[in-house]
Amino acid sequence: MKTQNELKEIVARKALEFVQPQQVLGVGSGSTVKIFISLLPELPFKVEYAVAASKESEANLKAVGVQVLDANEVTTLGVYIDGADEVTPEGYMTKGGGAALTREKIVASLSENFICIVDKSKKVSQLGTQFALPVEVIPMAREAVSRELRKLGGNPVYRENCITDNGNIILDVHDFVIEDPIAMEQIINNIPGVVSNGIFARNKANQVLVAE
Ligand code: 5RP
């Protein structure tokens, strides 16, 4: 049986097939994406430019010789490669285990082709069953947002020692099974003080690659 790391490498390698020469590449964050970045030098062409969804991915891209552009410098990205914390059969995802959800949503929204790369442990029948839902929140709204999330039926827990790349905090919403991902993504986004939440349903991946 393959280890989780071996599965991550298999799916990261598969994602190389979606990278085209002379396109600006969009890159998410997390350990599967880290492996994907480390494999980029194996491509028969050089990836010149990328937009990264986290400072960590930015550093990893630079380490393999890719120039990292600001999202404001591009209008579209050929492909965006990112991992996920949970994926349903419909392709809805939760993300944000690494606290990069907001930048991931921004970079994903710029791309024409969003490819999600996961190992089989991320497959769920319903979002919220395996992983608490991360919500990025403006620090002064922490308690107000927590109260609203409780009203929605969740149990928000402040993520200790975590400041996002945008200077905000994360609330992880436990005990929160998400029956209607499209509706709940919008409902949580509408709470004052929420920057974004980790449900990726309104802009889900074009393709989910799963290493079994
Ligand atoms: C970070 C993310 C990651 O894509 C997600 O947490 C999956 O990470 P990993 O590949 O390490 O399992 O959303 O905010």
Side-chain angles (χ1 to χ4, degrees):
M1 210 173 74
K2 295 200 164 47
T3 65
Q4 191 179 26
N5 263 350
E6 285 168 338
L7 292 175
K8 285 181 183 189
E9 179 167 343
I10 288 168
V11 76
R13 195 175 290 283
K14 183 84 187 147
L16 290 178
E17 293 170 19
F18 293 82
V19 182
Q20 301 289 322
Q22 284 156 6
Q23 276 188 344
V24 181
L25 173 66
V27 177
S29 67
S31 56
T32 317
V33 160
K34 186 176 179 187
I35 296 170
F36 168 75
I37 295 171
S38 74
L39 297 175
L40 288 176
E42 292 185 13
L43 284 168
F45 53 87
K46 179 161 170 33
V47 176
E48 298 283 355
Y49 301 105
V51 174
S54 70
K55 289 182 180 166
E56 190 186 342
S57 290
E58 183 173 337
N60 291 333
L61 283 161
K62 285 179 178 165
V64 295
V66 179
Q67 291 185 56
V68 179
L69 303 177
D70 188 278
N72 291 307
E73 293 179 87
V74 301
T75 44
T76 52
L77 298 167
V79 66
Y80 175 69
I81 309 287
D82 200 357
D85 298 311
E86 293 179 323
V87 185
T88 70
E90 298 80 23
Y92 298 131
M93 299 166 281
T94 55
K95 295 180 43 53
L101 58 156
T102 300
R103 291 188 182 205
E104 288 170 345
K105 272 195 186 179
I106 294 167
V107 185
S109 76
L110 295 173
S111 87
E112 288 158 7
N113 194 14
F114 179 173
I115 306 293
C116 175
I117 52 173
V118 290
D119 64 82
K120 64 181 177 186
S121 71
K122 308 298 182 70
K123 291 201 303 186
V124 294
S125 52
Q126 263 189 317
L127 297 180
T129 48
Q130 202 164 278
F131 204 88
L133 174 70
V135 181
E136 180 166 355
V137 174
I138 303 281
M140 69 172 287
R142 186 180 79 190
E143 287 308 313
V145 172
S146 295
R147 283 193 291 276
E148 293 305 312
L149 290 170
R150 275 186 215 106
K151 283 185 205 161
L152 292 173
N155 173 22
V157 176
Y158 170 59
R159 197 183 292 184
E160 298 283 347
N161 304 318
C162 176
I163 300 291
T164 70
D165 286 350
N166 314 307
N168 298 312
I169 60 150
I170 296 286
L171 295 173
D172 289 306
V173 190
H174 293 256
D175 312 320
F176 193 53
V177 177
I178 298 157
E179 273 158 22
D180 184 344
I182 293 181
M184 191 51 74
E185 183 176 359
Q186 182 141 38
I187 289 167
I188 297 175
N189 279 346
N190 285 346
I191 301 172
V194 168
V195 178
S196 70
N197 70 82
I199 304 173
F200 281 60
R202 303 181 83 79
N203 183 19
K204 61 180 187 174
N206 296 87
Q207 232 177 296
V208 181
L209 308 180
V210 184
E212 306 273 358

